[in-house]
Amino acid sequence: MPVHSSRRLHHLLSFLSFIMLLPSLSAFSLQATSRLSSAMRSQHLLSINSRLMSVASGTNMESMKTDLPPFPLIGKNPDEEPPRVRFAPSPTGSLHVGGARTALYNWLIAQGARVEGDTNASFIVRVEDTDVARSTKESEESVLKDLEWLGLQWDEGPVTNGDFGPYRQSERADLYKSVARTLLDSGKAYPCFSTNEELESVKEAQMKAGESPRYDGKWRDADPELVQQKIDAGDPYTVRFKVPKGARVVIDDVVRGTIAWDAEATVGDFILLRSSGVPVYNFCVAVDDATMGITMVVRAEEHLTNTLRQGLILDALGAPRPRYAHCSLILGEDQQKLSKRHGATSCNQFKEDGFLPDAMINYLSLLGWNDGTDREIFTRDELVDSFDMSRVNPSGAVFDMQKLKWINGNHLKMMSIEEVKPLILEQLIKHNVLNSNGASDSINRITLAATCLAKQMMVTTVDAATNAKAVLAYPLPQSFDDLSSVEPDEQKLIKSGAFYNVAKAIVAAYDAGVLPRPNEVNVMEPFEELNGELIVEDNATGGGAYAYPAAWKTFMKTLGKEMNLKGKNLFHPARLAMTGVMSGQDVTKQMALLQLACEFGSAVDLEGGLEVVPLEVRIEMLRGFLETIPEEFRVKKEEVVVKEVVQGKKGGGDRRGEGTAAGVTSDAGDSADLVSTYEGPAFNTMDVRVGRITKVWKHEESDKLFCEEVDVGEAEPRQIASGLQPFFSESDLQDRKVLVLCNLKARKLAGFPSHGMVLCTSNDDHTSVKFCDAPVDAEIGERVWWGGDGVLPENMEEAAAENKFAKKKMFEKIAPYLRTNEFGVCEFLGKPIMTNSGPCTSAMADGGIS
Ligand code: GLU
């Protein structure tokens, strides 16, 4: 370009810049003066002031030519400098977990370096608000608030400021313009006068020709005279970056390794400044990374392609490129990018839902990183010590709500009562358990009791409020006719006759004034050791030898003796009577919380709709309920006794006799008794068949269920859901030969239509599960049978039709007598369950089969 025209162009650009700069001029000078402090400051100021002066006078062209802002990393290797990392949120919504993880990794890098003595390490927050239409102040505030909640405090950024500000792109407009001008001056960018229509028609033609659309380079080498004429005529133009011939951008990504782009083949000359003077996103990012001296850019994979343009701009500016690390996307369980439809994704929502910041960062850190071991629980300090970008892996991480909850529960356990208490208070108020205007002493004691009750079992702090609500309510139905409103186990307990007498005795004790009640002088007894230490474990009770917990224990012991009951046969009915729920936390702790809620002047939020059922009312409800229990359910059923006999045999080798080589019992002693006393349905009313799992996958909504397709010898495989996820992997199930109970009616399990049941063995507390296996030679579809001593009965019963089988609840009646013996042989009433190739077995001896 001849000198004179270049000068005229320069002149015009300066003028345009002046117009564009005017509104922000005074603000920028002020900020610049107050924020820049180091050597950088004088350099920055000098360069900015000389530029502004020359622009304002519109004369001294020459002084503008070298106006590049300082690039702190020039002449340095970013890898060897104290880390300066940045989190660059676009304030167009709330902080998403993906953004939070990016922020966390950046924070950990800076924090880790600082802990190792690198005082110059810096975590920067830069607000990328160039998209004026979508950026909002509220969003910026909420993102910053969430970062603060997570404890990811920034060293430089909005509010805190720093030496390299301003930290909002909207406040850096003049910087981008001056850099654009420098690029124009040096011929690394050029004005482009193509109109939108022209660009559109080029694009159309390219697409028609099967080429990927890109700028056609029309103004790249345009005649300077013509350019000048257009400028003189006031034609609008964009500033385009001149992609150098043969340019390549190659990066050594920390997470993804070497990535290279053939720039010329990938992009056309792209826009830096729009005709309105508004800079384009990638240009801002490159200029900011360069001027802020960013040493490493850690961001999401979706920005990988931006690196090409950003790299080209940085190269043109002569600024060293930072090191890049592109982290994988966070996915939902369906392997799609995590979004709102997968549930909570914003940090604020997790905060509301009772998650702890330390648990959040613990979990987020693991979405793509591990410390090389299978360790999963880290405190904040431990994360800072262990985190290392080189162990961040490139594969997509699936967001697992259950795991987050598990981690949250662990962190809650690790915290002290005093630390957790304020968080619980927040939830108790939010969920209308406490009235924030209530008496502070009452608020304090109820919060303490609710915290102690929930401390070791809650998964989120919301659980403490939910638990308190459950404890204060009394869900026993009014009458036996309403029994369907309670849990099946409770219905069973009541119908078994085990409930009536215990509950009756409790009512009688209450009437006689001997039912132990919380100590009104010190209601907190169940939560406090004698030395004042707080109790959080459910099975530990405080208060000493004469306190309420001790009195309750004595009462229960006496009751058990009188009624000849112990263990769960005593505790389940008593708990159901006192709390309306058969199993749950220590009764004395529950009653103490209830007492606090019923005290005169209690701070519970009755106006907010909280349901509190005082002991007096409970006893009256219980009394009414007991009256409605029909006569037949007031005594313990024979069946229960028989079941106990069977379970009592567990592990007793003598009833098995010597056994055959295969472990099949030949003993006729006790098991013969069992057979003769058994009054339930015949084994062979069950249609149990040998099947093979041909396909298996995890249920989409349940972390317990596997969905299977099982060949049971029918034209089509059956679809079956089994609660086996906690015990097996998919590969354990794939192609496995199994025993399938086929005449169960099809029903939906977590929405999945399941038709049949895979038989398994489990120990008594169901912590271990094994399959019931058919012999290797057994045929698929073959019916499994029981014939007493392992001989096929002459008149084998017909399998019951599905509807009959289900209606009569036959399996429930049969199941207590299905067990494995000490050799793992599957037995019914102590005799083997057979296929035509031999008995069925299991890897678990002495287990219950269901
Ligand atoms: N502002 C971008 C975002 O919010 C981040 C870009 C970057 O880190 O380079 O996704």
Side-chain angles (χ1 to χ4, degrees):
M1 184 187 290
V3 174
H4 71 279
S5 59
S6 140
R7 282 182 151 216
R8 287 171 71 184
L9 173 60
H10 208 125
H11 180 90
L12 189 103
L13 280 170
S14 305
F15 182 68
L16 274 178
S17 306
F18 174 63
I19 304 281
M20 295 190 284
L21 271 174
L22 221 41
S24 59
L25 201 63
S26 53
F28 184 79
S29 327
L30 270 178
Q31 277 160 356
T33 327
S34 63
R35 286 178 192 156
L36 305 182
S37 65
S38 60
M40 197 70 63
R41 176 203 269 174
S42 43
Q43 212 181 339
H44 228 117
L45 277 182
L46 247 180
S47 108
I48 289 168
N49 286 342
S50 68
R51 186 165 70 241
L52 296 183
M53 277 167 58
S54 62
V55 169
S57 67
T59 48
N60 190 356
M61 302 299 142
E62 296 312 314
S63 69
M64 296 192 296
K65 285 205 155 177
T66 52
D67 272 353
L68 260 187
F71 299 137
L73 287 179
I74 280 197
K76 295 178 180 158
N77 178 353
D79 275 347
E80 286 162 11
E81 293 303 301
R84 288 182 57 78
V85 287
R86 85 312 190 268
F87 173 55
S90 302
T92 55
S94 49
L95 182 63
H96 178 272
V97 284
R101 184 193 57 178
T102 303
L104 171 66
Y105 284 5
N106 280 294
W107 181 83
L108 285 170
I109 292 170
Q111 195 67 8
R114 226 193 320 268
V115 165
E116 281 175 12
D118 219 336
T119 46
N120 288 328
S122 190
F123 171 55
I124 299 156
V125 168
R126 182 173 78 216
V127 178
E128 301 204 323
D129 54 356
T130 41
D131 186 346
V132 188
R134 293 179 61 226
S135 303
T136 65
K137 208 74 204 146
E138 296 75 56
S139 160
E140 178 189 313
E141 274 162 22
S142 100
V143 168
L144 296 181
K145 219 165 94 196
D146 287 344
L147 286 175
E148 275 172 353
W149 175 70
L150 287 169
L152 306 182
Q153 189 54 57
W154 53 98
D155 307 300
E156 300 169 43
V159 192
T160 53
N161 297 323
D163 289 350
F164 299 82
Y167 292 94
R168 284 184 194 93
Q169 287 184 333
S170 58
E171 293 167 12
R172 298 169 70 82
D174 29 16
L175 175 65
Y176 307 131
K177 279 165 205 155
S178 88
V179 175
R181 189 172 335 117
T182 311
L183 289 172
L184 280 168
D185 285 350
S186 57
K188 291 176 176 164
Y190 60 90
C192 162
F193 297 90
S194 295
T195 62
N196 281 345
E197 294 73 41
E198 283 170 345
L199 293 172
E200 268 310 308
S201 72
V202 169
K203 190 171 157 188
E204 243 173 60
Q206 286 170 335
M207 301 226 313
K208 246 189 211 152
E211 294 163 16
S212 43
R214 58 162 65 198
Y215 177 62
D216 61 355
K218 177 169 175 197
W219 292 91
R220 183 178 167 110
D221 298 309
D223 174 6
E225 292 293 335
L226 178 62
V227 170
Q228 197 53 53
Q229 272 171 28
K230 302 278 278 179
I231 290 172
D232 290 346
D235 286 359
Y237 61 87
T238 56
V239 175
R240 278 194 190 267
F241 183 79
K242 197 173 200 172
V243 176
K245 287 258 171 277
R248 284 175 68 75
V249 171
V250 183
I251 61 164
D252 178 16
D253 192 281
V254 179
V255 181
R256 325 193 92 77
T258 304
I259 299 170
W261 291 270
D262 177 344
E264 221 186 330
T266 318
V267 287
D269 290 349
F270 53 89
I271 296 176
L272 299 178
L273 286 187
R274 298 190 180 87
S275 54
S276 59
V278 173
V280 161
Y281 171 74
N282 276 314
F283 181 48
C284 301
V285 173
V287 171
D288 290 344
D289 287 341
T291 50
M292 291 180 177
I294 300 300
T295 57
M296 189 188 280
V297 168
V298 179
R299 63 186 173 194
E301 187 184 357
E302 59 202 349
H303 293 290
L304 185 61
T305 50
N306 290 336
T307 314
L308 165 60
R309 287 180 170 84
Q310 292 169 16
L312 288 169
I313 297 168
L314 288 164
D315 293 354
L317 293 174
R321 287 190 218 144
R323 192 77 195 275
Y324 290 94
H326 287 93
C327 304
S328 312
L329 292 182
I330 299 179
L331 308 173
E333 274 172 15
D334 55 1
Q335 303 291 323
Q336 302 299 308
K337 189 179 165 193
L338 189 72
S339 70
K340 282 202 185 109
R341 76 194 155 81
H342 292 103
T345 53
S346 83
C347 286
N348 188 40
Q349 189 59 50
F350 287 104
K351 176 178 177 235
E352 297 288 309
D353 291 347
F355 288 89
L356 301 167
D358 279 20
M360 281 305 287
I361 66 162
N362 183 165
Y363 179 63
L364 291 175
S365 75
L366 299 176
L367 287 174
W369 170 84
N370 61 61
D371 74 343
T373 70
D374 51 14
R375 178 172 178 191
E376 297 192 300
I377 303 293
F378 292 85
T379 64
R380 187 175 290 263
D381 288 345
E382 286 166 348
L383 273 184
V384 170
D385 279 348
S386 325
F387 185 77
D388 180 357
M389 272 312 290
S390 69
R391 290 203 58 85
V392 172
N393 62 60
S395 43
V398 174
F399 193 85
D400 179 347
M401 192 64 185
Q402 295 311 321
K403 189 157 165 190
L404 169 59
K405 284 185 176 170
W406 176 76
I407 288 179
N408 204 55
N410 274 284
H411 278 267
L412 280 165
K413 283 196 192 105
M414 286 170 353
M415 286 167 82
S416 71
I417 294 269
E418 287 310 316
E419 285 169 324
V420 182
K421 217 178 101 193
L423 305 174
I424 303 299
L425 174 59
E426 230 172 79
Q427 298 292 2
L428 291 175
I429 292 172
K430 195 166 141 203
H431 292 270
N432 298 96
V433 176
L434 284 179
N435 180 340
S436 56
N437 298 321
S440 61
D441 177 52
S442 175
I443 289 186
N444 189 34
R445 284 183 303 144
I446 292 178
T447 308
L448 203 56
T451 307
C452 290
L453 261 174
K455 177 77 172 57
Q456 301 306 87
M457 63 95 171
M458 67 183 149
V459 164
T460 69
T461 54
V462 175
D463 291 343
T466 315
N467 184 56
K469 278 186 169 176
V471 166
L472 299 177
Y474 185 65
L476 196 76
Q478 268 202 327
S479 135
F480 187 82
D481 295 337
D482 309 325
L483 211 55
S484 56
S485 69
V486 301
E487 294 293 321
D489 279 355
E490 283 153 3
Q491 293 182 26
K492 218 158 135 191
L493 180 74
I494 294 168
K495 285 185 177 168
S496 74
F499 174 68
Y500 182 83
N501 289 313
V502 174
K504 191 102 184 141
I506 286 177
V507 174
Y510 176 83
D511 289 344
V514 294
L515 185 75
R517 301 181 64 165
N519 174 1
E520 284 177 26
V521 181
N522 181 12
V523 186
M524 296 303 286
E525 269 174 354
F527 302 108
E528 277 174 12
E529 303 282 9
L530 281 180
N531 63 9
E533 216 171 276
L534 290 167
I535 294 174
V536 292
E537 299 296 342
D538 192 57
N539 57 7
T541 46
Y546 304 101
Y548 169 48
W552 177 259
K553 224 181 215 165
T554 310
F555 170 76
M556 289 298 288
K557 213 167 169 181
T558 315
L559 190 65
K561 254 194 199 142
E562 276 168 14
M563 313 202 79
N564 195 22
L565 292 171
K566 54 181 176 201
K568 61 180 188 195
N569 291 334
L570 172 66
F571 291 110
H572 281 178
R575 206 178 258 139
L576 183 60
M578 296 295 291
T579 69
V581 187
M582 173 176 117
S583 49
Q585 297 162 302
D586 168 41
V587 170
T588 65
K589 292 190 176 76
Q590 296 194 43
M591 291 299 127
L593 179 62
L594 179 65
Q595 176 71 27
L596 291 170
C598 296
E599 272 177 354
F600 179 72
S602 159
V604 285
D605 190 5
L606 296 177
E607 277 163 28
L610 180 72
E611 193 190 345
V612 178
V613 184
L615 182 62
E616 297 66 32
V617 180
R618 292 179 183 215
I619 295 290
E620 289 323 309
M621 286 172 71
L622 180 60
R623 199 192 302 276
F625 178 73
L626 289 174
E627 276 163 20
T628 66
I629 295 184
E631 212 52 56
E632 57 189 299
F633 299 116
R634 295 185 180 191
V635 278
K636 242 180 143 212
K637 294 274 165 313
E638 207 46 39
E639 189 198 325
V640 180
V641 177
V642 175
K643 186 173 169 184
E644 276 162 5
V645 171
V646 176
Q647 286 176 341
K649 296 281 171 216
K650 203 182 87 169
D654 54 350
R655 93 187 141 103
R656 314 288 173 194
E658 293 305 310
T660 63
V664 179
T665 176
S666 58
D667 175 57
D670 287 326
S671 38
D673 288 343
L674 273 181
V675 174
S676 59
T677 52
Y678 175 71
E679 284 175 356
F683 177 94
N684 293 325
T685 53
M686 290 197 287
D687 179 7
V688 178
R689 285 184 232 159
V690 178
R692 185 186 300 286
I693 301 177
T694 51
K695 202 168 151 192
V696 55
W697 66 98
K698 285 184 179 155
H699 192 292
E700 264 180 23
E701 260 132 47
S702 160
D703 58 351
K704 303 234 163 27
L705 294 176
F706 273 126
C707 302
E708 301 124 35
E709 280 187 3
V710 189
D711 178 1
V712 288
E714 295 167 337
E716 293 291 334
R718 293 252 185 139
Q719 291 212 315
I720 296 179
S722 323
L724 298 176
Q725 256 201 59
F727 308 102
F728 298 102
S729 68
E730 278 149 290
S731 60
D732 292 325
L733 271 74
Q734 185 66 48
D735 295 318
R736 187 174 188 110
K737 212 177 235 187
V738 285
L739 297 185
V740 183
L741 175 56
C742 290
N743 58 338
L744 281 181
K745 263 183 116 174
R747 61 194 176 124
K748 287 204 167 150
L749 290 178
F752 181 82
S754 174
H755 192 189
M757 188 169 109
V758 173
L759 293 184
C760 288
T761 321
S762 59
N763 58 356
D764 279 354
D765 53 8
H766 215 80
T767 48
S768 173
V769 171
K770 302 284 177 213
F771 284 98
C772 290
D773 295 310
V776 273
D777 296 328
E779 276 181 49
I780 302 301
E782 175 183 345
R783 181 120 175 254
V784 171
W785 50 267
W786 184 82
D789 285 334
V791 182
L792 186 66
E794 269 177 31
N795 298 314
M796 177 136 148
E797 296 91 336
E798 281 268 318
E802 266 176 26
N803 56 354
K804 270 177 128 187
F805 193 76
K807 213 179 257 158
K808 293 191 174 168
K809 299 227 163 81
M810 284 182 174
F811 186 68
E812 279 173 31
K813 292 186 182 130
I814 296 171
Y817 308 97
L818 290 173
R819 298 191 63 85
T820 53
N821 70 10
E822 72 264 41
F823 306 106
V825 175
C826 300
E827 293 184 338
F828 174 63
L829 297 173
K831 305 278 186 183
I833 297 170
M834 302 294 292
T835 66
N836 295 331
S837 322
C840 301
T841 53
S842 164
M844 183 185 293
D846 287 325
I849 298 173
S850 57

